[in-house]
Amino acid sequence: MIKKIFLLPIMAIVLILGGCTNSNRIDTSSLVQTVTAENKSGKTVYNFYLLKNCEDVQSVSVEADSLEKAVILAKKAYIPMLTLSKLELYLIDSNLGEKNLKTDINYISKASKISPLTYAAFSDTKTLQLFSKDKEALRKVKEHIVHLKNNEKELSVTSLSIFNNFKGKNNGYLSICYISSEKELKADIVKIVT
Amino acid sequence: MQSNITFPSKRLMLSLFVCSVLPILLMGRSFLQSDNIFSSLVSIGFGIFFTLLCFVPFYSIKHRTRLDFSAFAKNTSQTGFFFVSSYYCMYFTVITVSFLIRFCDMFVSGVNPDADTKVIAFLILCICVYGASKGVNPLSRVSIFVFAFLIIAFAVIFFGNIKSFEFAPNSTFVTPDFSNIRSNAADCLIFAFLPVIFGFNSTSTKNLSIKQPVITTLIIFGTLMLTLFFTDFVTGAYSAQQPYSVQLLSKTAYFGDMKGFDSFYLAAVTACVFVFVTAVLISVSNCIVNTSSKRTLVFVSIIAFIMFVLFVCADSYNAVKELLLNNIFLTALNFISALLIPAICLFAYRRKLYD
């Protein structure tokens, strides 16, 4: 009986020291599902689309040279608890070129919170704007990417494979997905020299 | 604690395997720094040879005298035993803190950057002191469950990465290159702490045969080779960007729409660290022979407290941390603990016999 009485305060101390009283509720408005990088009047604008249960699309936009700087700015200006741990898709405007893609993929590779299976692709401006209106845009784009990958084995669709190809794994060129939505959503292959 | 209950030595080997998985799961980007198969194979071969060599003196002592190393050292020389047991208490303190630092660094970088590592280390040590008070027999039983979970975790991680596996060696992979051989060999030699743990816990075991440590060592290094193989040909250059290769492998595993099994990795490494620290604390408790269990518990608690103090020092001073994480330093300690001192004790024992 005495042992049980001693055990209770010890357990309480362990729980307090372990941080159980300091619960940080994970706010879904801090979880980013999609990041797009578009070219607006010669400047790069990063849009962070958040995981939300409501009908409206929630997003945060910042102007920055790279994804790393954009994350810092977004945390400072809008959402301090912003996290990319649930990032599923990274779309970059094809007008920004492979240099931006390479820099951002390099940042994603170093961030241990971001999944290495994050889809990454080039896109046209119309597709990037789709994400601000259509809540299902992420699902549709992912379906197209997966379908194209199943038909084309050499295609690099994740940040992991794109990074490895930039490091010279695939004989000097990289096949990456290009999403366009002129009339309907379409996925093609683009080859770039690494 | 010394106990009269015996259990099959296969279970002790199982506990050793669980302890050995800890350095594999916590291997960082600097582990076996070579994308060259010849250098890696030579280092691993050297690691297997050295680990087996380290088993020889402890196996010999157990086979001839049925005692663990601590009791054998005390029988051989009462005076020398004080220095031997003090040295091994220091050795066990250093290797425990070394792996606690690695585990806490992984926890902070991969799970929760706000976690206080001192609290994590303190909790692990407190729980393991309790575990050590129960002895090696219960630990070996717990190891069965941990081993079963490890099989599941490794199966999930490896099979989940099969679709991403691309065997595409480049020219540097197959061209012989031994430039990093010294550090690569030191990385493989850190497993030599296993014979020392075996040496201090073998009293209560029965049916020990020479095959058991050999098969255990081969399985450990086989697991290491498989992990390195998957790391090289699944994650490739990406693994150099992240601090823990196996954690990255667990994130890249997928089955259909189910992606990211880093929770399995975290559970596996946490279970292994508890088994390892408990096994080391039991070895510490066996450093003092023929005393009451209460005295032994006090002694183990004091050593655990010293471990915690060393951990806090390493957390505060980078030079201490770098020393404790230096594989060449640990290899040197392993050489002294697993080969040099047991060889000297065996030599002294033979001299005593002839006298």
Side-chain angles (χ1 to χ4, degrees):
Chain A
M1 187 59 194
I2 295 172
K3 275 186 187 172
K4 284 175 189 168
I5 292 169
F6 272 120
L7 205 56
L8 280 170
I10 290 168
M11 275 177 66
I13 292 165
V14 165
L15 286 171
I16 291 165
L17 286 175
C20 292
T21 54
N22 185 21
S23 58
N24 285 320
R25 195 171 66 92
I26 296 171
D27 197 346
T28 51
S29 62
S30 307
L31 298 171
V32 175
Q33 265 195 316
T34 310
V35 170
T36 63
E38 56 180 323
N39 189 359
K40 273 186 179 171
S41 315
K43 292 186 180 160
T44 313
V45 174
Y46 283 89
N47 305 299
F48 296 91
Y49 294 95
L50 305 164
L51 176 68
K52 263 286 196 190
N53 289 328
C54 63
E55 286 301 316
D56 301 328
V57 174
Q58 299 283 326
S59 69
V60 160
S61 298
V62 290
E63 205 177 284
D65 296 328
S66 66
L67 179 59
E68 186 178 1
K69 288 179 186 168
V71 168
I72 295 167
L73 283 170
K75 280 184 176 180
K76 213 171 163 180
Y78 300 104
I79 311 171
M81 300 297 291
L82 189 93
T83 172
L84 299 178
S85 58
K86 286 286 178 193
L87 185 66
E88 292 187 45
L89 176 66
Y90 167 74
L91 273 184
I92 179 167
D93 194 332
S94 53
N95 296 325
L96 288 172
E98 52 256 31
K99 194 181 169 198
N100 266 61
L101 173 70
K102 195 172 182 179
T103 312
D104 291 346
I105 291 291
N106 201 44
Y107 166 70
I108 290 172
S109 70
K110 286 183 180 156
S112 54
K113 285 267 157 61
I114 304 176
S115 169
L117 299 180
T118 301
Y119 288 117
F122 277 128
S123 164
D124 64 355
T125 316
K126 251 190 169 176
T127 312
L128 294 175
Q129 288 164 355
L130 194 68
F131 279 84
S132 56
K133 300 169 223 168
D134 186 358
K135 212 173 148 37
E136 296 295 313
L138 170 63
R139 182 186 58 79
K140 290 172 187 171
V141 168
K142 271 169 59 178
E143 273 171 12
H144 278 80
I145 290 174
V146 168
H147 181 72
L148 194 64
K149 172 68 180 169
N150 288 338
N151 294 331
E152 188 69 37
K153 295 295 172 199
E154 290 285 310
L155 187 65
S156 298
V157 298
T158 60
S159 56
L160 169 73
S161 61
I162 293 171
F163 178 87
N164 284 338
N165 279 304
F166 270 130
K167 287 287 170 187
K169 194 181 155 198
N170 223 7
N171 302 322
Y173 69 89
L174 163 66
S175 296
I176 189 170
C177 207
Y178 175 76
I179 309 289
S180 58
S181 53
E182 279 300 314
K183 288 178 185 167
E184 55 173 11
L185 206 60
K186 199 175 145 198
D188 286 309
I189 299 170
V190 156
K191 273 190 180 165
I192 56 175
V193 177
T194 56
Chain B
M1 324 296 176
Q2 301 283 357
S3 165
N4 292 327
I5 302 168
T6 57
F7 61 94
S9 59
K10 281 182 187 173
R11 268 202 263 144
L12 180 62
M13 292 298 145
L14 203 66
S15 306
L16 292 182
F17 174 77
V18 171
C19 294
S20 74
V21 169
L22 188 62
I24 295 173
L25 292 177
L26 290 175
M27 65 180 182
R29 62 190 117 201
S30 61
F31 191 91
L32 227 59
Q33 231 173 354
S34 169
D35 58 357
N36 179 266
I37 189 165
F38 294 101
S39 176
S40 302
L41 284 176
V42 165
S43 307
I44 287 170
F46 198 52
I48 294 172
F49 169 74
F50 186 73
T51 308
L52 286 174
L53 187 67
C54 292
F55 267 111
V56 169
F58 298 110
Y59 177 83
S60 175
I61 290 166
K62 168 69 181 171
H63 187 66
R64 287 184 201 190
T65 64
R66 301 268 183 263
L67 295 172
D68 65 20
F69 178 70
S70 184
F72 172 79
K74 192 169 187 186
N75 281 355
T76 305
S77 165
Q78 290 278 0
T79 331
F81 173 68
F82 172 75
F83 296 102
V84 166
S85 62
S86 306
Y87 167 78
Y88 278 99
C89 287
M90 182 276 297
Y91 167 74
F92 288 132
T93 303
V94 167
I95 58 163
T96 305
V97 175
S98 174
F99 284 107
L100 271 178
I101 291 169
R102 288 167 214 244
F103 174 76
C104 292
D105 280 352
M106 182 282 302
F107 195 89
V108 164
S109 67
V111 181
N112 183 3
D114 299 327
D116 190 344
T117 53
K118 295 182 200 61
V119 172
I120 297 168
F122 181 76
L123 286 172
I124 291 173
L125 285 167
C126 285
I127 293 165
C128 292
V129 164
Y130 173 76
S133 70
K134 297 297 166 191
V136 69
N137 191 5
L139 177 71
S140 65
R141 289 172 193 272
V142 166
S143 301
I144 298 171
F145 294 101
V146 176
F147 176 72
F149 179 75
L150 283 175
I151 289 178
I152 296 168
F154 274 117
V156 164
I157 289 171
F158 290 144
F159 285 111
N161 278 299
I162 286 261
K163 282 185 185 167
S164 315
F165 191 90
E166 283 175 32
F167 184 66
N170 56 23
S171 58
T172 56
F173 185 74
V174 292
T175 311
D177 173 25
F178 301 100
S179 49
N180 288 325
I181 194 72
R182 200 176 70 152
S183 63
N184 289 346
D187 290 338
C188 291
L189 297 181
I190 59 167
F191 292 95
F193 66 84
L194 298 165
V196 184
I197 295 176
F198 164 77
F200 276 82
N201 291 287
S202 54
T203 297
S204 312
T205 59
K206 60 182 181 188
N207 302 331
L208 176 68
S209 77
I210 191 70
K211 278 194 300 187
Q212 289 165 4
V214 173
I215 292 171
T216 307
T217 306
L218 291 175
I219 292 174
I220 289 165
F221 281 91
T223 309
L224 173 66
M225 282 167 67
L226 197 61
T227 310
L228 289 168
F229 205 54
F230 268 82
T231 306
D232 274 344
F233 294 111
V234 170
T235 55
Y238 201 99
S239 64
Q241 303 289 96
Q242 303 254 325
Y244 298 97
S245 313
V246 185
Q247 189 182 27
L248 179 64
L249 261 185
S250 67
K251 286 184 183 173
T252 56
Y254 71 97
F255 295 97
D257 284 338
M258 282 173 55
K259 291 181 189 178
F261 291 90
D262 40 326
S263 53
F264 275 76
Y265 166 82
L266 185 62
V269 78
T270 306
C272 289
V273 83
F274 276 104
V275 170
F276 169 76
V277 177
T278 308
V280 170
L281 286 174
I282 293 170
S283 307
V284 165
S285 73
N286 289 336
C287 279
I288 54 168
V289 183
N290 297 330
T291 56
S292 67
S293 58
K294 204 174 173 183
R295 237 187 197 182
T296 310
L297 183 61
V298 168
F299 178 73
V300 170
S301 304
I302 292 169
I303 298 295
F305 177 71
I306 293 170
M307 287 176 182
F308 179 68
V309 168
L310 182 60
F311 180 89
V312 170
C313 285
D315 208 37
S316 311
Y317 298 102
N318 218 37
V320 176
K321 188 174 180 177
E322 275 175 18
L323 180 66
L324 291 172
L325 293 180
N326 188 326
N327 282 344
I328 296 176
F329 170 66
L330 291 178
T331 300
L333 280 182
N334 283 337
F335 173 76
I336 297 168
S337 313
L339 271 183
L340 195 63
I341 294 178
I344 293 170
C345 286
L346 270 171
F347 178 71
Y349 172 73
R350 282 184 115 181
R351 247 182 94 172
K352 195 178 168 185
L353 274 181
Y354 286 132
D355 291 344

